[in-house]
């Protein structure tokens, strides 16, 4: 899989996937009614944002997300994360390796923070419909 320079910038939070403009690097208080949770990359035009790593403050946690995508990312995490928290996979890394295989993506591009709405939906629907098969394959 070869990504274009634009796709790489989008996945790094440096380019808004909705309007194609460079987002601002601002305090998250701008989107959380004055309460700061650290810095974010923010596109005011699309009401899209993404947080940044605490250890690497300029490194985005994924791509910018508007309201619809934020909801689907939450659902994807709510569905996917318990699979490694509850021991269905030995580790978070093993869970993401499985997800990489399932989505047929390179592991370095396999993170919910990088996904769009359709990929998040695909994860939620597959896990919800196949949880027993996933557990069986994991030996549980």
């Amino acid at each position: 899989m070869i990504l274009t320079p634009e796709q790489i910038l989008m996945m790094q939070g440096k380019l808004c996937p909705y309007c194609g403009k460079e987002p601002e690097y601002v305090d998250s208080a701008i989107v959380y009614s004055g309460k700061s949770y650290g810095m974010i990359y923010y596109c005011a035009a699309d009401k899209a944002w993404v947080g940044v790593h605490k250890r690497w403050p300029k490194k985005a946690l994924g791509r910018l997300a508007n309201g619809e995508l934020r909801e689907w990312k939450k659902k994807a995490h709510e569905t996917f994360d318990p699979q490694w928290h509850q021991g269905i996979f030995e580790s978070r890394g093993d869970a993401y390796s499985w997800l990489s295989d399932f989505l047929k993506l390179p592991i370095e591009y396999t993170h919910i923070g990088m996904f769009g709405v359709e990929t998040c939906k695909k994860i939620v629907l597959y896990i919800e419909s196949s949880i027993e098969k996933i557990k069986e394959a994991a030996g549980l």
Side-chain angles (χ1 to χ4, degrees):
M1 168 187 241
I2 298 173
L3 298 178
T4 67
E6 280 186 337
Q7 288 172 314
I8 292 169
L9 288 173
M10 283 180 198
M11 290 173 59
Q12 294 173 342
K14 305 285 173 86
L15 190 66
C16 179
Y18 306 103
C19 69
K21 295 183 180 167
E22 184 178 339
E24 296 177 81
Y25 183 69
V26 299
D27 191 290
S28 61
I30 199 167
V31 297
Y32 293 115
S33 303
K35 180 153 176 64
S36 178
Y37 294 96
M39 301 300 284
I40 60 172
Y41 287 102
Y42 176 65
C43 177
D46 295 299
K47 294 182 177 60
W49 65 86
V50 64
V52 297
H53 287 270
K54 290 188 189 318
R55 291 182 67 194
W56 304 284
K58 292 273 186 162
K59 184 176 180 183
L61 293 167
R63 57 174 273 176
L64 274 73
N66 64 11
E68 178 187 19
L69 180 53
R70 282 192 298 278
E71 287 303 312
W72 277 104
K73 283 184 180 187
K74 286 178 199 171
K75 289 176 187 176
H77 273 295
E78 289 168 358
T79 306
F80 177 69
D81 291 357
Q83 309 319 310
W84 57 273
H85 283 295
Q86 297 171 4
I88 292 172
F89 297 99
E90 288 188 26
S91 68
R92 181 176 184 262
D94 286 345
Y96 271 97
S97 180
W98 170 85
L99 189 57
S100 172
D101 290 343
F102 168 68
L103 295 171
K104 296 178 179 38
L105 289 173
I107 191 72
E108 62 269 22
Y109 302 126
T110 305
H111 193 281
I112 291 170
M114 295 178 179
F115 298 155
V117 171
E118 292 308 312
T119 304
C120 289
K121 284 181 180 180
K122 184 175 182 178
I123 293 165
V124 170
L125 295 173
Y126 180 76
I127 291 175
E128 286 180 348
S129 67
S130 305
I131 191 63
E132 291 309 314
K133 290 178 188 173
I134 294 167
K135 287 180 180 179
E136 187 178 303
L140 298 176

